Amino acid sequence: MPELPEVEVVRRGLTEHVVGRVVRAVTVQHPRSVRRHEPGGADLAARLTGLRVESAQRRGKFLWLTFDEPDTSLVVHLGMSGQMLVQPADAPREKHAHIIATLDSGQELRFIDQRTFGGWQLADLVEVEGTLLPEPVAHIGRDPLDPLFDADRVVKALRAKQSEIKRVLLDQTIVSGVGNIYADEALWRAGIHGERVAAKLTRPALHGLLTEAGTVMSEALRAGGTSFDALYVNVNGQSGYFERSLNAYGREHEPCRRCGAPMVREKFMNRSSFSCPRCQPRPRS
């Protein structure tokens, strides 16, 4: 699933190619792609038609467009395989192109979603701590790359949790943008095992972990994001390549790049965690 760097790459592409354009028409090809928009696909298409895109914004892993109609936003749920591609109108339609928005530039903004977990949803904007957010995103915390990210506040929230630190890192209401891949990377860099209880970690350790999370996601962003297959691409259809620089995720049995010990994989919330048994010792039972 795309995490913060991947979503930010898409946001920047939308800013370059879509912001300032007027939506001339919208075609919904698959009902699942508008299931979160309760009035249905026809309503979404009718309300988007004629609007000018004013901005492409993101908080954590959540992406949305704003328009010249006040308080209106289009929340884009990328899900497991969602792509936002900008294509010439005469380019062959992708097999899983479920929503097509025709722009006044003559190009099309296509939402492609092989697994149909994602979709589009029109939502009202609401003010949260001085920032306008789509109502479905209002509960999401700031991410480490947000200029207004308050590390002290987040550390205080983390120290109030009796859950494993990796589980808390994935709680988007506390700190957003961190998913399974970058959680493992940040924990490896900080030398913390994901099963350590958040409340038992020191403030300096938690500050260091948040710093590492921001650093690794910034590095991934400069590389264009992380991609393991053809499902994650930016708006031009190009895959990211930060997977070449991963130190933890997906490196089971490979030597730790810090100490040389074989990396291990453990089950975690129906997913996998990767860590170094020497650099990241498990918590004592």
Side-chain angles (χ1 to χ4, degrees):
M1 182 175 292
E3 300 184 27
L4 183 156
E6 292 76 54
V7 177
E8 175 62 13
V9 168
V10 175
R11 187 201 67 79
R12 292 181 181 183
L14 293 173
T15 297
E16 180 178 355
H17 296 284
V18 177
V19 169
R21 298 300 180 184
V22 175
V23 179
R24 292 302 187 196
V26 177
T27 303
V28 177
Q29 306 274 38
H30 199 304
R32 276 187 57 80
S33 294
V34 292
R35 66 189 180 280
R36 294 180 179 87
H37 185 74
E38 293 184 1
D43 177 83
L44 181 140
R47 290 175 58 187
L48 282 178
T49 300
L51 297 185
R52 182 182 301 277
V53 182
E54 289 203 333
S55 69
Q57 300 188 34
R58 175 194 60 76
R59 173 166 285 196
K61 298 184 283 185
F62 291 80
L63 175 70
W64 66 94
L65 300 177
T66 65
F67 304 91
D68 55 354
E69 180 175 301
D71 301 327
T72 298
S73 68
L74 176 67
V75 181
V76 178
H77 302 268
L78 294 175
M80 294 285 290
S81 60
Q83 302 170 13
M84 295 278 278
L85 294 186
V86 177
Q87 298 279 46
D90 58 358
R93 289 277 173 85
E94 295 78 6
K95 180 179 180 181
H96 301 285
H98 298 323
I99 307 176
I100 298 95
T102 303
L103 307 175
D104 64 349
S105 63
Q107 294 182 307
E108 293 179 344
L109 174 61
R110 301 177 181 177
F111 180 71
I112 296 112
D113 190 10
Q114 178 178 327
R115 297 173 182 170
T116 65
F117 289 127
W120 288 9
Q121 173 188 13
L122 283 172
D124 292 337
L125 291 169
V126 297
E127 185 172 335
V128 180
E129 297 181 343
T131 302
L132 286 176
L133 299 172
E135 194 279 330
V137 185
H139 65 291
I140 300 299
R142 296 187 186 275
D143 62 69
L145 302 190
D146 189 319
L148 298 180
F149 181 74
D150 187 341
D152 290 335
R153 180 177 178 178
V154 174
V155 165
K156 183 178 180 180
L158 293 175
R159 284 180 57 81
K161 298 293 183 179
Q162 296 295 329
S163 299
E164 302 97 325
I165 183 59
K166 181 174 178 179
R167 186 183 298 270
V168 181
L169 273 182
L170 299 180
D171 182 347
Q172 302 298 299
T173 66
I174 297 176
V175 54
S176 65
V178 183
N180 201 43
I181 295 174
Y182 297 115
D184 280 359
E185 292 301 302
L187 288 164
W188 180 86
R189 290 177 179 225
I192 298 172
H193 194 281
E195 292 185 6
R196 295 279 301 276
V197 174
K200 294 184 178 180
L201 292 168
T202 65
R203 287 181 177 82
L206 290 170
H207 272 286
L209 176 59
L210 293 175
T211 298
E212 296 295 357
T215 299
V216 70
M217 289 193 291
S218 295
E219 292 175 2
L221 180 56
R222 287 194 293 271
T226 298
S227 178
F228 292 97
D229 55 31
L231 294 181
Y232 162 65
V233 295
N234 64 18
V235 295
N236 295 315
Q238 300 168 323
S239 295
Y241 54 88
F242 189 67
E243 76 273 14
R244 302 172 188 173
S245 303
L246 294 176
N247 291 304
Y249 190 86
R251 299 193 66 244
E252 183 182 15
H253 303 314
E254 296 182 35
C256 171
R257 292 196 171 116
R258 187 163 46 212
C259 73
M263 300 289 290
V264 299
R265 178 177 66 88
E266 299 168 291
K267 292 182 179 180
F268 175 77
M269 294 175 59
N270 297 319
R271 288 175 273 188
S272 295
S273 287
F274 298 86
S275 62
C276 172
R278 186 179 299 163
C279 296
Q280 300 166 265
R282 294 176 58 85
R284 297 177 181 178
S285 58

